[in-house]
Amino acid sequence: MKIHETLAQAQDAMTAKRVYGEPFEKDGVTVIPAAAIRGGGGGGEGGGVGYGIVARPVGAFIIKDGEVSWKPAVDATRVALRGLLIPIIGLLVFRSVVLAIARRR
């Protein structure tokens, strides 16, 4: 497979069709899921080529009674990691302050 063909396939994979899922309807409510898509690719001198795509849900458009609203997706893993990182950073800052005060004495 040639580099141009592979990169064309990668470009085709990162389209709006990938960002917005197929709408579905239930009980008069239409839901259109949306995702964030990132990707990249490249090739080497020896003819090697590759690309990758990462997608994560970001939310959905909700259509009810002619009104459109946005409902963001909640990424529980990100929320949990932030909940763990903030106290760790606080402890490191506290430790640095204590060490700086101890050196002055």
Side-chain angles (χ1 to χ4, degrees):
M1 184 176 285
K2 297 184 180 191
I3 292 174
H4 296 293
E5 293 172 5
T6 303
L7 292 178
Q9 287 179 352
Q11 185 177 10
D12 290 342
M14 293 188 291
T15 63
K17 291 179 185 176
R18 301 277 186 206
V19 173
Y20 298 104
E22 289 294 322
F24 58 93
E25 183 182 352
K26 184 172 183 180
D27 298 329
V29 177
T30 303
V31 178
I32 304 170
I37 308 289
R38 294 185 308 184
E45 289 182 25
V49 65
Y51 66 92
I53 296 174
V54 176
R56 67 178 184 84
V58 292
F61 288 102
I62 310 297
I63 305 170
K64 181 178 180 182
D65 299 327
E67 297 287 323
V68 178
S69 62
W70 171 256
K71 298 290 183 186
V74 176
D75 187 346
T77 302
R78 282 186 171 190
V79 171
L81 285 175
R82 286 183 184 151
L84 292 173
L85 287 177
I86 291 172
I88 291 171
I89 292 170
L91 287 173
L92 291 174
V93 169
F94 179 74
R95 177 180 169 257
S96 297
V97 170
V98 169
L99 289 175
I101 291 172
R103 284 188 204 131
R104 287 187 179 180
R105 291 181 180 194

